[in-house]
Amino acid sequence: MRLLKVATCNLNQWAMDFECNMKNIKASITEAKAAGAAIRLGPELEVTGYGCEDHFLELDTVTHAWECLKELLLGDWTDGILCSIGMPVVKGAERYNCQVLCMNRRIIMIRPKMWLANDGNYRELRWFTAWKRREHLDEFQLPVEISEALDQTSIPFGYGYIQFIDTAVAAEVCEELFSPLPPHAELALNGVEVFMNASGSHHQLRKLDIRLNAFMGATHARGGVYMYSNQQGCDGSRLYYDGCACIVVNGDVVAQGSQFSLRDVEVIVSQVDLDAVASLRGSISSFQEQASCKVKVSSVAVPCRLTQSFNLKMTLSSPKKIMYHSPQEEIAFGPACWMWDYLRRSGASGFLLPLSGGADSSSVAAIVGCMCQLVVKEIAKGDEQVKADAIRIGNYTNGQFPTGSKEFAKRIFYTVFMGSENSSEETKRRAKQLADEIGAWHLDVCIDGVVSAVLSLFQTVTGKRPRYKVDGGSNAENLGLQNIQARMRMVLAFMLASLLPWVHSKPGFYLVLGSSNVDEGLRGYLTKYDCSSADINPIGSISKMDLRLFLKWAATNLGYPSLAEIEAAPPTAELEPIRSDYSQLDEVDMGMTYEELSVYGRMRKIFRCGPVSMFKNLCYKWGTKLSPAEVGEKVKYFFKYYSINRHKMTVLTPSYHAESYSPEDNRFDLRQFLYNSRWPYQFKKIDEIVEGLNGDSVAFPEEAGNSEKEVGVVAANSEDPSAGL
């Protein structure tokens, strides 16, 4: 037997904070060595942090990375252990995303990334060059300061692997695993038994199984030990890197780290038998045949042993059941951990949330409550860093620290119900009840006086006073009156966030939380610069449908029973007067249901559909419920208001990225914000197709109407209450 102990990790790195990152790297190496590991794998670009973005273009960033690596190599950190360290490297005129493989205070080789992630939230080609020369290893001249300090002049650079006396080890960097021809296939034929995948992979709802299936598939048919390391936490942007470091042997997961955690460092260790890898490969005839005529990959020989012989004192790691969170748990834990990192790193003293008693703001409140619960649990487990952060943020003194989530929430969480003459007693009561269940410091503020003052000023300036539509006013008057309320709430929220800590003799400031969901952003069903405008928004890329499922789950699992009543209430903005024969409802205002919006959003972004292709697809999807003409009108209505309101995405509050059809304009969904909202060419094409179908009998698959719930047909108002504003 060739027994090998390997260690991989989740690290909560912070872009451009080299001291923070080095502290975590050293802690992970120390823990790996203490466990007796022979290999330690860290995340992609762990020295700098993955999310440095255009800071990667600065030579200072690369220089500081080398300085940090020198510090590691001059100490005893790499003594007796192979360490894979992620950092940017400049070679000649090109900048590469690299894994630097080190052992015994020496750099063995540098492995540049060959296939760069450049879709969705990833823009690696903006900062790095892909390594394209596979046939041989180059010689890389180390920077002078590094060369002199390490007494090394040049090292191998490129695509290859390390050949030890008893095994072969290679790096495969993040995106390379998911490429059509991943390097591990060729490396396995060359005898590589251990693969190290350093990653910077962010959370997205329902995504983890895709990642884990790729790890298992990499070694299921060709054998091997696959190590995966990832960042975990908010490193300074909208993304939450969701950890889940793992070790896979011959297609079986033998160790798995947490997906969501407040810990800065989490190391997982496994004891594996490399003879099991050799045995599997020897039993697969096709593997043997292909290995006999393989393309040779370059290697670097290191005269060291990594494995140990048979020893009953060493226990082999066995396959374990994979841990998957439900989507509701992902919505609770992912944004909660992201918010904790943002809070402790921003210097703020807490959060302020305009709490309306509706589904969206209540979801945000529940996530803050979940964050408080996680903090208290982690302190109880003995995490000194979380404890120190909580003491500082909560302004504890005399050795006190959080022992209960409600008590902690009272110190760091303000909720404000900003009611008007259009607000109902039900939403006011629900907001207060939820705040009490969480433990928040709750305020009830009436904004009628502020709104009246603004309207009086307007009347003084213009001589006119607008009226609501139900009182005989025009659409323009009705819309203006709604927007005044919404914008006054935003102004008051920021004023309260900055001054309430002073009122209560607390230091610092509070971060304002937004609560618009992904579907409202896509449709533009929000007032520009209203309470959707905040410092951060934990639900900005989560769908209304998912949020309602989350509320049901959280009512029981987070211990906030009022959420069940909130989920059951019909969504309403409460910006218009309530009458016996009229009550404002979101889906009526929008002219479409939230369920339909989710369908439109996925087809527009995930399946890359324009108006015509969306119409054609929905004719099949909804064909048993709606005629082609009705489908065409729905598609045209959606694209009309999507394009009218697209400009709102340019000022959207930074939101936690969770959904693959997010319309977030900053980096994920890059499109123009000035459209011809009539879409004359595309809409004409739809009309032509509908006209051509009118004379034909149309056959739809029997199951077409069953793939979704009943399609809601909502009568649309002639004017959109948020259009263009």
Side-chain angles (χ1 to χ4, degrees):
M1 299 182 79
R2 291 175 295 144
L3 302 180
L4 176 67
K5 185 168 283 189
V6 296
T8 183
C9 57
N10 297 326
L11 298 186
N12 193 336
Q13 306 300 77
W14 191 2
M16 298 301 292
D17 189 338
F18 292 91
E19 289 188 354
C20 165
N21 299 343
M22 281 293 287
K23 177 184 175 183
N24 292 343
I25 291 170
K26 289 177 179 179
S28 68
I29 295 175
T30 299
E31 193 170 334
K33 292 176 72 173
I39 299 176
R40 177 268 181 196
L41 171 66
E44 184 177 12
L45 296 167
E46 60 183 313
V47 176
T48 59
Y50 183 84
C52 295
E53 300 187 329
D54 280 2
H55 284 296
F56 284 126
L57 303 179
E58 302 165 4
L59 286 177
D60 277 2
T61 304
V62 180
T63 300
H64 297 330
W66 277 113
E67 292 166 350
C68 291
L69 182 65
K70 181 177 73 171
E71 181 182 339
L72 289 174
L73 292 173
L74 290 179
D76 62 356
W77 306 101
T78 62
D79 289 357
I81 187 170
L82 174 66
C83 291
S84 180
I85 309 292
M87 58 179 273
V89 174
V90 173
K91 182 180 186 295
E94 305 95 43
R95 185 184 302 101
Y96 294 100
N97 176 348
C98 296
Q99 289 302 117
V100 182
L101 306 178
C102 311
M103 189 176 185
N104 294 330
R105 311 192 187 198
R106 309 285 286 179
I107 300 175
I108 299 173
M109 69 174 290
I110 297 179
R111 165 65 155 83
K113 192 172 182 179
M114 298 189 296
W115 308 114
L116 301 179
N118 209 57
D119 53 10
N121 283 298
Y122 297 104
R123 293 287 182 274
E124 289 184 15
L125 279 171
R126 180 181 175 96
W127 310 301
F128 300 109
T129 300
W131 181 256
K132 302 176 181 66
R133 295 190 293 279
R134 300 168 62 97
E135 62 280 359
H136 61 82
L137 291 167
D138 284 4
E139 281 297 310
F140 174 74
Q141 299 296 317
L142 287 171
V144 175
E145 298 82 359
I146 308 301
S147 175
E148 292 176 349
L150 303 181
D151 196 24
Q152 275 187 284
T153 305
S154 64
I155 52 174
F157 185 104
Y159 171 56
Y161 62 93
I162 303 176
Q163 182 64 62
F164 290 93
I165 293 173
D166 49 354
T167 189
V169 180
E172 181 170 70
V173 190
C174 196
E175 179 71 11
E176 294 174 349
L177 168 65
F178 303 97
S179 63
L181 296 173
H184 68 256
E186 183 177 52
L187 290 166
L189 296 176
N190 276 265
V192 173
E193 294 178 313
V194 181
F195 305 95
M196 304 181 295
N197 188 312
S199 182
S201 186
H202 64 78
H203 174 237
Q204 196 163 284
L205 288 173
R206 305 173 178 91
K207 174 187 173 184
L208 183 60
D209 63 324
I210 298 174
R211 198 188 304 166
L212 285 172
N213 286 337
F215 305 149
M216 293 185 288
T219 59
H220 177 75
R222 57 183 66 89
V225 176
Y226 206 94
M227 303 168 61
Y228 172 78
S229 177
N230 194 15
Q231 290 192 191
Q232 186 174 60
C234 167
D235 81 338
S237 73
R238 294 162 172 79
L239 306 180
Y240 177 80
Y241 299 93
D242 61 338
C244 203
C246 63
I247 299 168
V248 178
V249 179
N250 292 347
D252 293 320
V253 175
V254 298
Q256 179 185 0
S258 64
Q259 186 177 12
F260 308 108
S261 173
L262 302 186
R263 285 175 285 178
D264 284 343
V265 178
E266 179 183 4
V267 177
I268 62 169
V269 180
S270 285
Q271 183 82 40
V272 301
D273 177 17
L274 294 183
D275 279 356
V277 175
S279 176
L280 176 61
R281 290 178 176 178
S283 70
I284 303 172
S285 177
S286 59
F287 184 93
Q288 297 289 302
E289 290 298 316
Q290 291 183 8
S292 69
C293 58
K294 62 183 176 291
V295 176
K296 186 169 178 57
V297 177
S298 300
S299 64
V300 178
V302 176
C304 293
R305 290 177 59 90
L306 294 182
T307 64
Q308 299 183 43
S309 301
F310 174 71
N311 186 343
L312 284 177
K313 294 181 179 180
M314 302 174 67
T315 304
L316 286 178
S317 300
S318 56
K320 62 178 295 181
K321 184 179 180 181
I322 300 172
M323 169 62 184
Y324 290 115
H325 288 285
S326 69
Q328 292 78 28
E329 291 173 327
E330 291 185 80
I331 292 171
F333 301 141
C337 293
W338 179 76
M339 290 169 67
W340 175 247
D341 280 341
Y342 200 102
L343 176 62
R344 69 190 181 112
R345 289 172 170 170
S346 67
S349 303
F351 296 118
L352 182 137
L353 171 68
L355 181 59
S356 69
D360 293 336
S361 61
S362 297
S363 295
V364 174
I367 291 170
V368 176
C370 177
M371 183 199 79
C372 294
Q373 293 180 18
L374 292 176
V375 168
V376 171
K377 288 178 182 177
E378 203 59 41
I379 292 174
K381 291 178 183 177
D383 193 308
E384 291 299 322
Q385 184 61 58
V386 174
K387 182 178 179 179
D389 289 332
I391 289 172
R392 174 179 52 83
I393 295 167
N395 196 31
Y396 288 89
T397 58
N398 301 322
Q400 294 181 316
F401 58 88
T403 56
S405 62
K406 292 184 70 172
E407 180 271 330
F408 185 51
K410 179 70 76 173
R411 287 175 175 263
I412 69 158
F413 189 30
Y414 284 116
T415 55
V416 187
F417 180 82
M418 292 185 273
S420 73
E421 60 184 357
N422 302 320
S423 302
S424 66
E425 287 299 319
E426 288 80 6
T427 53
K428 178 180 177 179
R429 174 184 55 80
R430 290 196 294 260
K432 177 67 165 63
Q433 185 177 352
L434 177 59
D436 290 343
E437 290 170 356
I438 294 170
W441 189 294
H442 187 68
L443 297 175
D444 183 359
V445 178
C446 179
I447 66 170
D448 287 337
V450 180
V451 173
S452 178
V454 172
L455 290 175
S456 296
L457 175 62
F458 179 84
Q459 187 173 13
T460 301
V461 172
T462 66
K464 292 188 175 183
R465 193 176 184 91
R467 296 177 297 166
Y468 289 102
K469 193 172 182 178
V470 294
D471 296 327
S474 65
N475 287 317
E477 293 172 77
N478 195 60
L479 180 58
L481 287 170
Q482 293 183 66
N483 288 333
I484 289 169
Q485 298 169 68
R487 288 178 174 136
M488 287 300 101
R489 286 174 173 142
M490 184 270 289
V491 173
L492 286 172
F494 275 96
M495 184 185 74
L496 291 170
S498 63
L499 291 178
L500 278 177
W502 166 72
V503 170
H504 292 118
S505 301
K506 294 181 179 179
F509 61 95
Y510 277 38
L511 294 167
V512 178
L513 297 177
S515 57
S516 59
N517 62 63
V518 70
D519 298 321
E520 291 170 348
L522 178 67
R523 169 62 172 75
Y525 185 66
L526 53 96
T527 300
K528 205 172 186 179
Y529 305 117
D530 68 347
C531 278
S532 64
S533 297
D535 289 307
I536 55 173
N537 180 356
I539 66 166
S541 71
I542 301 176
S543 73
K544 190 77 163 188
M545 305 299 291
D546 278 338
L547 287 174
R548 297 190 72 166
L549 293 173
F550 163 71
L551 289 172
K552 291 180 180 178
W553 174 89
T556 301
N557 292 276
L558 293 182
Y560 307 140
S562 64
L563 293 176
E565 181 185 353
I566 291 169
E567 187 278 329
T572 173
E574 291 194 333
L575 293 172
E576 296 183 71
I578 300 172
R579 297 287 187 265
S580 59
D581 59 346
Y582 178 76
S583 180
Q584 185 180 25
L585 296 173
D586 288 356
E587 293 183 330
V588 175
D589 275 353
M590 293 191 299
M592 59 191 74
T593 66
Y594 282 109
E595 185 175 352
E596 289 172 335
L597 261 175
S598 290
V599 173
Y600 297 144
R602 287 183 167 86
M603 298 196 77
R604 181 197 70 98
K605 177 66 178 177
I606 301 174
F607 299 103
R608 298 164 294 280
C609 288
V612 177
S613 56
M614 184 183 292
F615 161 72
K616 291 177 179 178
N617 278 279
L618 289 180
C619 278
Y620 286 106
K621 197 176 189 70
W622 293 344
T624 59
K625 304 294 181 182
L626 301 173
S627 70
E630 290 172 317
V631 173
E633 289 306 309
K634 282 182 172 289
V635 170
K636 289 190 286 185
Y637 188 82
F638 163 72
F639 272 100
K640 173 185 176 181
Y641 284 105
Y642 156 75
S643 55
I644 286 175
N645 290 302
R646 177 66 190 187
H647 66 98
K648 297 177 182 178
M649 297 303 96
T650 64
V651 296
L652 200 66
T653 296
S655 302
Y656 178 95
H657 177 85
E659 185 55 79
S660 54
Y661 70 90
S662 170
E664 184 263 305
D665 183 71
N666 175 263
R667 66 185 299 175
F668 184 71
D669 188 44
L670 306 181
R671 301 166 196 252
Q672 71 212 64
F673 56 87
L674 177 61
Y675 283 88
N676 183 343
S677 60
R678 294 180 294 111
W679 299 79
Y681 186 89
Q682 294 92 330
F683 287 4
K684 182 181 178 182
K685 281 288 184 183
I686 292 175
D687 292 339
E688 289 173 355
I689 296 171
V690 170
E691 187 175 350
L693 291 172
N694 284 339
D696 300 331
S697 59
V698 182
F700 292 104
E702 182 127 347
E703 66 273 14
N706 298 325
S707 61
E708 295 287 329
K709 295 180 181 177
E710 184 80 18
V711 177
V713 182
V714 179
N717 285 349
S718 59
E719 295 292 334
D720 176 28
S722 61
L725 295 176

